[in-house]
Amino acid sequence: MKFRVEIRYKEGVEDPEAVTILKNFNILGYKGIKDIKTSKVYYIEATDESEVSEVTKKILANPVIHTYSIDVVDGSIA
């Protein structure tokens, strides 16, 4: 099976990459953009969803600052 794992910062936790991007947007004159959020997406091919969940909890996400979702996806991982 193929899984899509998305890692996001929790509400209230500063997203340093988003802060930098927003500053650059403002420097470049894009004043209408007020907020931005980033996330990381991993596509994992595995036979066991519990393994995907375990590696997400233990390796990919920091439970103190991140939230995540795991979805089964169709198609090939490209």
Side-chain angles (χ1 to χ4, degrees), residues 7 42 55-68:
I7 312 291
Y42 300 89
V55 297
T56 299
K57 290 177 190 174
K58 289 184 174 182
I59 299 169
L60 300 177
N62 177 341
V64 175
I65 61 171
H66 293 129
T67 184
Y68 63 88

Side-chain angles (χ1 to χ4, degrees), residues 41-60:
V41 176
Y42 300 89
Y43 292 94
I44 301 172
E45 191 165 342
T47 56
D48 185 356
E49 185 170 359
S50 65
E51 276 190 337
V52 174
S53 180
E54 186 175 326
V55 297
T56 299
K57 290 177 190 174
K58 289 184 174 182
I59 299 169
L60 300 177

Side-chain angles (χ1 to χ4, degrees), residues 2-6 8 39 41-44 69-73:
K2 296 164 185 85
F3 299 90
R4 180 184 184 276
V5 178
E6 183 174 0
R8 299 167 299 284
S39 64
V41 176
Y42 300 89
Y43 292 94
I44 301 172
S69 61
I70 301 172
D71 299 301
V72 177
V73 295

